[in-house]
Amino acid sequence: AVEPRHVEELPLPADFFWGTATAAYQIEGGAAQDGKGKSIWDTFSHLEPSRTNDENGDVACDHYTRMLEDLDLMASYDVDVYRFSIAWSRVIPLGGRNDPINENGIAFYGRLIDGLLARNIEPIVTLYHWDVPQELYDRYGAFLNTAEFKADFESFARLCFSRFGDRVKKWCTFNEPYIISIFGHHSGVLAPGHSAAAGHDSRIEPWRVGHTIILSHAAVVDMYATEFQPSQNGVISIVLNGHFYEPWDAASEEHKAAAQRRLEFYIGWFGDPIFLGKNYPAQMRAQMGSRLPEFTTEEMTLLRKTAPSNAYYGMNHYSTKFARALPGPPTEDDCTGNVEELATNSEGKSLGPVSGMAWLRVAPDGFRKLMNWVWDRYHLPIIITENGCPCPGESQMTLNEAVNDTFRIRYFGLYLDAISRAIHEDGVVVQGYCAWSLMDNFEWSAGYGPRYGITHVNYETLRRTPKKSASYLEKSFKARRRGQY
Ligand code: GBH
C-alpha cells in the first residue's frame, strides 16, 4: 500500500467552524423509552438480524440517557458545532400528520439543544437520517407514495421548526438521498431492504424514492423560507454524499466521460433539481428514459422557486474510486450510469491506503476535486457535514490500541489540508467541518464492527474514552485558524 503523504497543517479561515456529527439511530438507544415509536431500522434489525451483523440500535451508545455526559465530552473537545438528527418516531411515534405528538421526545431534543447552547456549541439539525416511522411504510409505502409522504414530512418538519427553530439556526432536511434510494430500495442492504431479490421492482423504486425526497425537500424549504425564516433567521439545505470518481484510464475519453457521468448519476440526480431548479441531468434522462419520473409544471415551478433558498451544500464525503465505462448497453435496473466502480486503475495503481473499511481509502486529492466539482456546478458555500474513517484492524483492538489512532489522525490531517487548498488555491468557499463521528456507534448493516469515533465506546460498560484524534482535531483547528496562507 501507498503511505499517506505528510500532513502539512495548512491554514483555514479564522471563522471556519468545526465539530462532530452523529445520527439518532446510531447513538441514542432508548428504542422504546418514553413513548418512542418504531422506525424502519427497528424492524430491519430485528426481523432478520443477520442484515445488521446480528446487532441492533436498541441500546447503541445509550446517548438517550447519557446525553449530559456526551455534552460535556463535546465541550471538552472545544467544538463549535454539533450535527445530530431528530428521530421522527420519537416526536411523532406513528409519523403521520394526524397522529399524536410525543411530548417526551420533544423534551429530550429540547434539553439537548439547550445543553449545547449553554456550552456555546451551535446545533446543526438533520430532520431525517434514515429512520422513517415503520407505520408510514405499513400505511402507504412511505417514500414510494410521493403525495402522502410529502404531507407527513411537512408536518414533521413544521413541528420541529415551531418547537426548536427559536434555538436551531442550521437545518438539513435529508441525509444522503442517494443512500436512501439506492441502498434502501435497490441493493436493499439498508432499511427497508427493498431489492429485486426481495421481490421489489428495483428498476423503478429508487427513482420514485429520489423523486419523493426532492419534492419533499423543496416543499419544506418553501415552508421554512415563508413561515419561519423571517422570524427565526436560520438556514436550510440538504446533505448529499458521494465519492469522487477518477477515470480508470486517465488517457481515455470514454473512461473520463464515465467518471463524469458517475458523478452526475450520484450527485447531479439530486443537486441539479434542488440547487439549480432544473430537471434531472440530461445524461440520466437519456439513459433512464421512462424509468425516471417526470416533474410536472407546478413541481418545476416549486423547484425553481426554492432553489435559491438552499443556503449551503452539505457534503458527506469519505473516499474516491475509479470509474470504468462498461461495454455494451446498461442493464435494465442499472443505477450507476453504466459504470463499474473499482479500487485500482488500468495500471493496477490504488487510490491510497485502505482504512478499516474496504471501500474507504485515503484519497485527499479526490476530496479536493469533489469540492471543486460541487462549487463549479452549484456555487454554494460548502459545509462538510461528515468525514472520517475507521482505522485498519480497529474493530479487534484493545482500548489502549484503539485510542492511539494515528491512521485516523493522518486521514483527518490530509483531508483538512485538502480543504485548505480548495479554499486558498482554488477559491472554493468552505465554511465548516463535522468529523464523523463524535463516538463509535452502530454502523448500520455492519453493526458495531467498524469504529468511526473520535471517542472510543466500550459497548459493555458504555464508557466513553477520547481517542488521540479528538485532541488532534482540537489542536489542529486552533493552529490552522491562526495561520497565514
Ligand atoms: C454515512 O453514509 C452516513 O451518513 C453515516 O450514518 C454512516 O455512519 C457513515 O457514513 C459511515 O459509513 O459505495 O458500494 O462501496 C455513508 C454511506 C456507506 C455509502 C458505505 C457508501 C460504501 C459502499 N456510505 N458505502 S460502496
Side-chain angles (χ1 to χ4, degrees):
V2 194
E3 267 306 294
R5 288 161 316 161
H6 174 65
V7 175
E8 293 172 84
E9 299 284 349
L10 300 174
L12 290 166
D15 60 354
F16 193 90
F17 58 83
W18 88 279
T20 63
T22 62
Y25 190 72
Q26 295 182 272
I27 65 162
E28 282 181 4
Q33 240 166 298
D34 298 337
K36 183 183 175 296
K38 278 197 194 331
S39 84
I40 55 171
W41 272 95
D42 294 298
T43 314
F44 190 74
S45 59
H46 280 275
L47 216 55
E48 232 177 90
S50 64
R51 296 188 292 195
T52 48
N53 197 36
D54 293 321
E55 289 159 330
N56 58 61
D58 286 4
V59 178
C61 306
D62 194 29
H63 171 72
Y64 188 70
T65 54
R66 288 162 205 260
M67 185 244 283
L68 270 180
E69 179 188 341
D70 293 335
L71 284 168
D72 287 338
L73 186 65
M74 277 186 263
S76 79
Y77 298 161
D78 218 354
V79 297
D80 308 301
V81 298
Y82 173 50
R83 173 172 178 249
F84 66 92
S85 77
I86 294 177
W88 186 342
S89 62
R90 208 181 272 295
V91 296
I92 312 176
L94 295 175
R97 52 200 179 277
N98 299 314
D99 293 318
I101 292 165
N102 177 28
E103 289 299 334
N104 294 324
I106 301 275
F108 169 73
Y109 294 109
R111 289 197 306 277
L112 172 57
I113 292 163
D114 290 341
L116 289 167
L117 296 176
R119 289 163 183 77
N120 214 5
I121 301 170
E122 189 192 353
I124 301 180
V125 178
T126 305
L127 292 173
Y128 184 76
H129 200 124
W130 305 358
D131 49 355
V132 66
Q134 177 61 44
E135 179 73 14
L136 302 188
Y137 267 95
D138 298 345
R139 281 183 193 162
Y140 57 77
F143 293 99
L144 297 167
N145 185 328
T146 304
E148 288 290 326
F149 181 89
K150 184 157 87 56
D152 283 343
F153 186 69
E154 282 182 88
S155 100
F156 165 53
R158 179 174 280 109
L159 175 68
C160 294
F161 297 150
S162 47
R163 299 301 188 90
F164 308 127
D166 55 337
R167 291 156 289 163
V168 173
K169 302 302 166 193
K170 288 192 173 73
W171 294 98
C172 333
T173 54
F174 293 92
N175 181 70
E176 304 186 345
Y178 182 94
I179 302 298
I180 301 167
S181 307
I182 299 296
F183 287 73
H185 301 81
H186 188 279
S187 68
V189 299
L190 300 177
H194 289 197
S195 65
H200 298 271
D201 188 351
S202 61
R203 293 168 311 162
I204 299 297
E205 281 201 10
W207 314 98
R208 169 54 54 193
V209 170
H211 209 66
T212 300
I213 295 172
I214 291 164
L215 293 171
S216 304
H217 168 81
V220 164
V221 165
D222 194 33
M223 176 206 303
Y224 187 74
T226 53
E227 290 176 40
F228 295 96
Q229 217 276 341
S231 58
Q232 297 184 345
N233 282 310
V235 295
I236 189 162
S237 190
I238 192 165
V239 167
L240 303 185
N241 71 306
H243 310 292
F244 185 71
Y245 291 91
E246 294 281 7
W248 177 72
D249 175 352
S252 141
E253 289 308 320
E254 192 194 359
H255 299 302
K256 281 200 273 188
Q260 175 66 14
R261 193 164 66 245
R262 187 72 195 91
L263 285 165
E264 291 188 6
F265 267 71
Y266 213 121
I267 294 173
W269 174 10
F270 301 100
D272 288 13
I274 289 171
F275 300 125
L276 303 178
K278 283 192 182 166
N279 204 338
Y280 294 116
Q283 310 207 63
M284 277 185 81
R285 283 185 285 141
Q287 184 189 311
M288 309 275 312
S290 62
R291 286 173 56 201
L292 203 58
E294 298 211 11
F295 294 111
T296 64
T297 313
E298 296 98 87
E299 289 167 350
M300 280 311 309
T301 306
L302 178 72
L303 290 172
R304 271 196 302 273
K305 177 185 177 206
T306 53
S309 298
N310 291 281
Y312 65 92
Y313 181 104
M315 179 185 288
N316 285 2
H317 177 78
Y318 292 87
S319 197
T320 293
K321 294 188 176 197
F322 290 111
R324 179 188 186 181
L326 284 166
T331 58
E332 63 163 8
D333 76 338
D334 176 66
C335 58
T336 62
N338 210 21
V339 173
E340 184 183 5
E341 305 185 349
L342 298 152
T344 48
N345 70 6
S346 57
E347 291 161 355
K349 188 175 161 284
S350 103
L351 280 157
V354 68
S355 72
M357 293 298 262
W359 61 272
L360 204 171
R361 288 175 177 272
V362 186
D365 292 344
F367 182 33
R368 177 178 174 182
K369 289 180 191 172
L370 183 65
M371 288 183 276
N372 274 276
W373 191 89
V374 162
W375 175 254
D376 290 344
R377 199 171 179 101
Y378 303 122
H379 252 274
L380 277 171
I382 296 170
I383 299 175
I384 307 304
T385 38
E386 283 181 29
N387 175 245
C389 70
C391 301
E394 190 169 358
S395 53
Q396 312 302 325
M397 286 181 189
T398 63
L399 173 65
N400 284 339
E401 290 165 345
V403 296
N404 198 7
D405 54 342
T406 50
F407 187 95
R408 180 179 289 104
I409 289 172
R410 192 86 75 89
Y411 176 96
F412 281 143
L414 293 168
Y415 275 62
L416 294 183
D417 283 347
I419 297 176
S420 178
R421 288 189 195 286
I423 294 173
H424 295 289
E425 293 175 29
D426 309 334
V428 178
V429 177
V430 190
Q431 296 177 328
Y433 177 91
C434 300
W436 184 269
S437 178
L438 169 63
M439 57 190 152
D440 297 337
N441 59 48
F442 180 74
E443 179 55 24
W444 309 111
S445 54
Y448 294 99
R451 292 175 175 270
Y452 282 82
I454 61 170
T455 311
H456 177 273
V457 175
N458 176 322
Y459 292 115
E460 267 139 51
T461 62
L462 293 169
R463 191 167 148 217
R464 282 87 159 119
T465 311
K467 300 181 192 175
K468 282 190 180 158
S469 55
S471 52
Y472 168 72
L473 286 178
E474 181 185 349
K475 287 201 199 87
S476 182
F477 276 105
K478 279 180 183 147
R480 288 171 192 264
R481 292 186 297 206
R482 275 197 303 267
Q484 302 278 301
Y485 196 76

